Coordinates of all heavy atoms in Angstrom, one line a residue:
F153 N -16.6 -10.1 1.1 CA -15.7 -11.2 1.6 C -16.2 -11.6 3.0 O -17.1 -11.0 3.6 CB -14.3 -10.7 1.7 CG -14.0 -9.7 2.7 CD1 -13.7 -10.0 4.1 CD2 -14.1 -8.3 2.4 CE1 -13.5 -9.1 5.0 CE2 -13.8 -7.4 3.4 CZ -13.5 -7.7 4.7
R154 N -15.6 -12.7 3.5 CA -15.9 -13.1 4.9 C -14.6 -13.5 5.5 O -13.7 -14.1 4.9 CB -16.8 -14.3 4.9 CG -17.2 -14.8 6.3 CD -18.3 -15.9 6.2 NE -18.5 -16.5 7.5 CZ -19.3 -15.9 8.4 NH1 -20.0 -14.8 8.1 NH2 -19.5 -16.5 9.6
I155 N -14.4 -13.2 6.8 CA -13.3 -13.7 7.6 C -13.9 -14.5 8.8 O -15.0 -14.2 9.2 CB -12.3 -12.6 8.1 CG1 -13.1 -11.6 9.0 CG2 -11.7 -11.9 6.9 CD1 -12.1 -10.5 9.6
S156 N -13.1 -15.4 9.3 CA -13.6 -16.4 10.3 C -13.5 -15.8 11.7 O -14.3 -16.2 12.6 CB -12.8 -17.7 10.2 OG -11.5 -17.5 10.5
E157 N -12.6 -14.9 12.0 CA -12.4 -14.4 13.4 C -12.4 -12.8 13.3 O -11.3 -12.2 13.3 CB -11.2 -14.9 14.0 CG -11.2 -16.4 14.1 CD -9.9 -16.9 14.7 OE1 -9.3 -16.3 15.6 OE2 -9.4 -18.0 14.3
P158 N -13.5 -12.2 13.2 CA -13.5 -10.7 13.0 C -13.4 -9.9 14.3 O -13.1 -8.7 14.1 CB -14.9 -10.5 12.4 CG -15.8 -11.5 13.1 CD -14.9 -12.7 13.2
A159 N -13.4 -10.4 15.5 CA -13.5 -9.6 16.7 C -12.3 -8.7 16.8 O -12.4 -7.5 17.1 CB -13.6 -10.5 17.9
E160 N -11.1 -9.2 16.6 CA -9.9 -8.4 16.8 C -9.8 -7.3 15.8 O -9.5 -6.1 16.1 CB -8.7 -9.3 16.7 CG -7.4 -8.5 16.9 CD -6.1 -9.4 16.8 OE1 -5.9 -10.0 15.7 OE2 -5.4 -9.5 17.8
L161 N -10.1 -7.6 14.5 CA -10.1 -6.6 13.5 C -11.1 -5.5 13.7 O -10.9 -4.3 13.6 CB -10.3 -7.2 12.1 CG -10.3 -6.2 10.9 CD1 -9.0 -5.4 10.8 CD2 -10.5 -7.0 9.6
L162 N -12.3 -5.9 14.2 CA -13.3 -4.9 14.5 C -12.9 -4.0 15.6 O -13.1 -2.8 15.6 CB -14.6 -5.6 15.0 CG -15.6 -6.1 13.9 CD1 -16.6 -7.1 14.5 CD2 -16.3 -5.0 13.3
Q163 N -12.2 -4.5 16.6 CA -11.7 -3.7 17.7 C -10.6 -2.7 17.2 O -10.6 -1.5 17.6 CB -11.1 -4.6 18.8 CG -10.6 -3.9 20.1 CD -11.7 -3.1 20.8 OE1 -12.9 -3.4 20.6 NE2 -11.3 -2.2 21.7
L164 N -9.7 -3.2 16.4 CA -8.7 -2.3 15.8 C -9.3 -1.2 15.0 O -8.8 0.0 15.2 CB -7.7 -3.1 15.0 CG -6.8 -4.1 15.7 CD1 -6.0 -5.0 14.7 CD2 -5.8 -3.3 16.6
L165 N -10.3 -1.5 14.2 CA -10.9 -0.4 13.4 C -11.7 0.5 14.3 O -11.7 1.8 14.1 CB -11.9 -1.1 12.4 CG -11.2 -1.9 11.3 CD1 -12.3 -2.6 10.5 CD2 -10.4 -1.0 10.4
K166 N -12.3 0.0 15.3 CA -13.1 0.9 16.2 C -12.2 1.8 17.0 O -12.6 3.0 17.2 CB -13.9 0.0 17.2 CG -14.8 0.8 18.2 CD -15.6 -0.2 19.0 CE -16.5 0.6 20.0 NZ -17.3 -0.3 20.9
T167 N -11.1 1.4 17.5 CA -10.2 2.2 18.4 C -9.2 3.0 17.6 O -8.4 3.7 18.2 CB -9.5 1.3 19.4 OG1 -8.7 0.3 18.7 CG2 -10.5 0.5 20.2
G168 N -9.1 2.8 16.3 CA -8.1 3.5 15.5 C -6.7 2.9 15.7 O -5.7 3.6 15.5
G169 N -6.7 1.6 16.0 CA -5.4 0.9 16.3 C -4.6 0.5 15.1 O -3.6 -0.1 15.2
C170 N -5.2 0.6 13.9 CA -4.5 0.2 12.6 C -3.6 1.2 12.1 O -4.1 2.4 11.9 CB -5.6 -0.2 11.6 SG -6.7 -1.5 12.0
R171 N -2.4 0.9 11.9 CA -1.4 1.8 11.2 C -1.5 1.7 9.7 O -1.4 2.6 9.0 CB 0.0 1.6 11.7 CG 1.0 2.4 10.9 CD 2.4 2.4 11.6 NE 3.1 1.2 11.4 CZ 3.9 1.0 10.4 NH1 4.0 1.8 9.4 NH2 4.6 -0.2 10.3
E172 N -1.8 0.4 9.3 CA -1.8 0.1 7.8 C -2.6 -1.1 7.6 O -2.5 -2.1 8.3 CB -0.4 0.0 7.3 CG -0.2 -0.2 5.8 CD 1.3 -0.2 5.4 OE1 1.9 0.8 5.3 OE2 1.8 -1.3 5.3
I173 N -3.4 -1.1 6.5 CA -4.2 -2.2 6.1 C -3.9 -2.5 4.6 O -4.1 -1.5 3.8 CB -5.7 -2.0 6.3 CG1 -6.0 -1.6 7.8 CG2 -6.5 -3.3 5.9 CD1 -7.5 -1.1 8.0
A174 N -3.5 -3.7 4.3 CA -3.2 -3.9 2.9 C -3.7 -5.3 2.4 O -3.7 -6.3 3.2 CB -1.7 -3.9 2.7
L175 N -4.2 -5.3 1.2 CA -4.7 -6.5 0.6 C -3.6 -7.2 -0.2 O -2.9 -6.5 -1.0 CB -5.8 -6.2 -0.4 CG -6.4 -7.3 -1.3 CD1 -7.2 -8.3 -0.4 CD2 -7.2 -6.8 -2.4
H176 N -3.3 -8.4 0.1 CA -2.2 -9.2 -0.6 C -2.8 -10.4 -1.3 O -3.8 -11.0 -0.9 CB -1.2 -9.6 0.5 CG -0.4 -8.6 1.1 ND1 0.9 -8.2 0.7 CD2 -0.7 -7.7 2.1 CE1 1.3 -7.2 1.5 NE2 0.4 -6.9 2.3

Side-chain angles (χ1 to χ4, degrees):
F153 68 88
R154 181 177 175 80
I155 61 175
S156 59
E157 299 178 38
E160 182 180 62
L161 179 55
L162 277 167
Q163 182 65 17
L164 288 172
L165 292 171
K166 181 179 179 181
T167 60
C170 299
R171 176 166 74 85
E172 185 176 277
I173 305 169
L175 175 72
H176 291 260

